[in-house]
Amino acid sequence: MRNPIPLLGAAVPLGTLVLLGCSLAAARPGADPGVQVASGDQAIAFTREGELKRPRGYRSWVYVGAPLTPNDMNDGKAAFPEFHSVYVDPISFEHYKRTGAWRDGTVVVKELVSVGTKSSTSGRGYFMGEFLGLETMLKSAERFPDEPGHWGFFRFTDEEGGPVHRTATALPTASCAACHQGSARDDLVFTQHYPVLRAAKGFGSGSPEDS
Amino acid sequence: MRNPIPLLGAAVPLGTLVLLGCSLAAARPGADPGVQVASGDQAIAFTREGELKRPRGYRSWVYVGAPLTPNDMNDGKAAFPEFHSVYVDPISFEHYKRTGAWRDGTVVVKELVSVGTKSSTSGRGYFMGEFLGLETMLKSAERFPDEPGHWGFFRFTDEEGGPVHRTATALPTASCAACHQGSARDDLVFTQHYPVLRAAKGFGSGSPEDS
């Protein structure tokens, strides 16, 4: 991910750039497909082949919460046994605070971290171990016209784990969207488990950061 | 916290501003104590009476991890029964990545969030509930010359809970520093439980954000 590389194939319509929250400073219709069009914390881009490149810079995005469903509470067979640190890109978060809705172009990143030790000076519990993977959901009416809420879901590891890949293809609706659609309270996002998001919409105990 | 208020008493030495990572743009020795000297995400400041004002803007700082030692894993008497979402101010985080050391002026914020539900579509586990409080540690040789590592510790709630106050006084060494000094791996910070920090120093599995 360190080298500057082509971010968009010539066939990708200009509108996609807007949908993905990219800077349009260097983008022109018919421009050299090798041109850098996404920059900074908002960088999200596709390869020429239509694969999503692994998001960069999300360490400076807005962290919204970290649910945990460990193996030892799910008969050793948790569907999601890791800590899930969830980030939202800052432009979409500000839009959400202002409007209460996920804008077209919203990017949500879920960083997967293993359960490390279960005991420390502070007591028994769950402490983070090692990075295991990365998943992303991306709202784009143009790219995902037929998906629920226009959300596309991506996983940068193989289902059985292994290395974190640099690109990913969109997952079938049944893999993620179906469950999010049924239970997530707010346009396929599980707002109910994220006090930062509830506070942004004016619900819950209010954030100590801005009250 | 919404109103502009005096940030430093006239008796606070100028050097303190540097120690706390504040902008010095508007600071002069003998300046009007009502002048705004801290701004943006780095805002951290003391009242005229020497109390730390609750940090603002940390939602855009660098989140580094969220340990959890719930009551039901500690005989109902956990010392820290909440989710702890931990943030580091971005200037100090960058310095840490570059040098591997916590600079004088480092601010660490710990946001306390209750355990909400223990079950969701994804399985049994721990999901975040409501905001409960805020704690801060601040490294300053000038303010805390006799504290271990020059770290001061602050809690913005009373020990028994209740509302999150707008200011806090430094806690006695025995309340926090003694334990951090004994067990935290890296200058009183529990680096061992934060993969983001380990990766910043080049240890562990490497961050999917920048590898």
Side-chain angles (χ1 to χ4, degrees):
Chain A
M1 300 283 285
R2 292 189 186 282
N3 300 322
I5 46 177
L7 291 171
L8 286 165
V12 176
L14 179 64
T16 309
L17 299 178
V18 180
L19 294 173
L20 302 183
C22 300
S23 162
L24 285 167
R28 300 182 309 277
D32 179 351
V35 82
Q36 180 85 21
V37 292
S39 64
D41 292 344
Q42 293 301 310
I44 190 149
F46 286 81
T47 65
R48 291 166 192 263
E49 294 75 27
E51 293 200 314
L52 179 65
K53 291 166 58 64
R54 198 167 68 198
R56 299 173 69 177
Y58 60 82
R59 202 67 75 212
S60 62
W61 292 10
V62 181
Y63 155 78
V64 300
L68 174 66
T69 50
N71 265 329
D72 57 15
M73 292 177 71
N74 293 277
D75 301 324
K77 296 175 289 194
F80 309 97
E82 323 87 355
F83 281 95
H84 287 177
S85 293
V86 177
Y87 298 81
V88 176
D89 78 272
I91 292 178
S92 302
F93 181 74
E94 286 305 316
H95 182 272
Y96 184 77
K97 276 174 76 170
R98 206 169 57 247
T99 67
W102 294 113
R103 72 182 188 116
D104 205 297
T106 298
V107 188
V108 180
V109 162
K110 189 166 77 172
E111 189 174 60
L112 314 186
V113 181
S114 70
V115 171
T117 178
K118 291 189 62 184
S119 179
S120 186
T121 316
S122 53
R124 284 182 46 75
Y126 294 94
F127 299 86
M128 288 181 164
E130 302 291 338
F131 295 114
L132 292 180
L134 202 76
E135 297 179 7
T136 297
M137 58 189 283
L138 169 63
K139 187 177 176 76
S140 167
E142 185 159 345
R143 282 204 173 254
F144 312 111
D146 301 324
E147 293 294 325
H150 301 149
W151 288 101
F153 290 79
F154 300 83
R155 183 195 299 124
F156 290 88
T157 46
D158 300 327
E159 199 157 0
E160 63 276 15
V164 186
H165 302 306
R166 295 185 177 213
T167 61
T169 51
L171 293 160
T173 307
S175 298
C176 304
C179 200
H180 278 250
Q181 189 176 23
S183 306
R185 190 163 296 169
D186 196 6
D187 187 14
L188 277 74
V189 178
F190 283 89
T191 312
Q192 64 264 42
H193 300 318
Y194 297 93
V196 173
L197 297 180
R198 292 202 308 276
K201 288 191 85 158
F203 295 111
S205 52
S207 166
E209 182 241 3
D210 57 12
S211 61
Chain B
M1 301 286 285
R2 291 189 187 283
N3 300 322
I5 47 177
L7 291 171
L8 286 165
V12 176
L14 178 64
T16 309
L17 299 177
V18 180
L19 295 174
L20 302 183
C22 301
S23 162
L24 284 168
R28 299 182 308 279
D32 178 351
V35 82
Q36 180 84 19
V37 290
S39 65
D41 292 344
Q42 293 302 310
I44 188 147
F46 286 81
T47 65
R48 291 168 191 262
E49 294 74 27
E51 294 199 312
L52 179 65
K53 291 167 59 66
R54 199 167 68 198
R56 299 174 68 178
Y58 60 83
R59 202 67 74 212
S60 62
W61 292 11
V62 181
Y63 156 78
V64 299
L68 174 66
T69 50
N71 265 330
D72 58 14
M73 291 177 72
N74 293 277
D75 300 323
K77 297 174 288 193
F80 308 96
E82 323 88 355
F83 280 95
H84 287 177
S85 294
V86 178
Y87 299 80
V88 177
D89 78 90
I91 291 178
S92 301
F93 180 75
E94 285 306 315
H95 181 272
Y96 184 78
K97 276 175 77 171
R98 206 168 58 246
T99 66
W102 295 113
R103 71 181 189 118
D104 205 297
T106 298
V107 188
V108 180
V109 161
K110 189 165 77 172
E111 189 174 61
L112 315 185
V113 181
S114 70
V115 172
T117 179
K118 290 189 62 183
S119 180
S120 185
T121 315
S122 51
R124 285 181 45 75
Y126 293 94
F127 298 86
M128 289 182 164
E130 301 291 338
F131 295 113
L132 291 180
L134 202 75
E135 296 179 7
T136 296
M137 58 189 282
L138 169 64
K139 187 178 177 77
S140 166
E142 186 160 345
R143 283 204 172 254
F144 312 112
D146 301 323
E147 293 294 325
H150 302 150
W151 288 101
F153 290 80
F154 299 83
R155 184 194 299 125
F156 290 88
T157 46
D158 300 327
E159 199 157 358
E160 62 276 15
V164 186
H165 302 306
R166 296 185 178 213
T167 60
T169 52
L171 292 161
T173 307
S175 298
C176 304
C179 200
H180 277 251
Q181 189 176 23
S183 306
R185 191 163 295 170
D186 196 5
D187 188 11
L188 277 73
V189 177
F190 284 88
T191 313
Q192 63 264 43
H193 300 318
Y194 298 92
V196 173
L197 297 181
R198 291 202 309 276
K201 287 191 84 158
F203 295 112
S205 53
S207 166
E209 182 240 4
D210 57 12
S211 61

